[in-house]
Amino acid sequence: MRNLVLMMELKAMSKVNSVKKALKSKSGEGFVDTAVKILMSVVIGALVLGGLYLLFKDTVLPTLTQRIKDMFNFKG
């Protein structure tokens, strides 16, 4: 019985030490850093897509729709 109690105390101390070591560790990446990176990529992606849409809306789409209308209204 005494050995069982001693083994349980050793396991508990080992777990406590591993938890302390994990809490003191400063390596790795935090959740806030990851959230900021994801937010930045979403915002930059939205800006790029918005810019491309504005470019295509004013420059490419009007001529493209006119060409498509000309193709289907062909009377030859």
Side-chain angles (χ1 to χ4, degrees):
M1 189 68 172
R2 190 173 190 181
N3 287 339
L4 181 65
V5 172
L6 184 60
M7 291 296 287
M8 294 298 276
E9 285 180 4
L10 287 175
K11 285 184 181 181
M13 287 176 27
S14 173
K15 289 288 184 186
V16 168
N17 286 336
S18 65
V19 169
K20 282 183 181 179
K21 185 178 177 181
L23 290 175
K24 288 182 181 179
S25 175
K26 297 195 184 232
S27 66
E29 190 173 359
F31 294 111
V32 176
D33 297 339
T34 305
V36 168
K37 287 178 187 176
I38 291 171
L39 186 62
M40 284 174 47
S41 64
V42 168
V43 169
I44 290 171
L47 288 173
V48 168
L49 286 176
L52 286 173
Y53 178 74
L54 286 175
L55 176 70
F56 279 98
K57 184 176 122 182
D58 293 338
T59 306
V60 177
L61 287 179
T63 59
L64 184 65
T65 55
Q66 186 60 38
R67 287 183 183 177
I68 292 172
K69 286 180 185 177
D70 291 343
M71 270 194 324
F72 284 109
N73 288 332
F74 180 73
K75 295 178 183 173

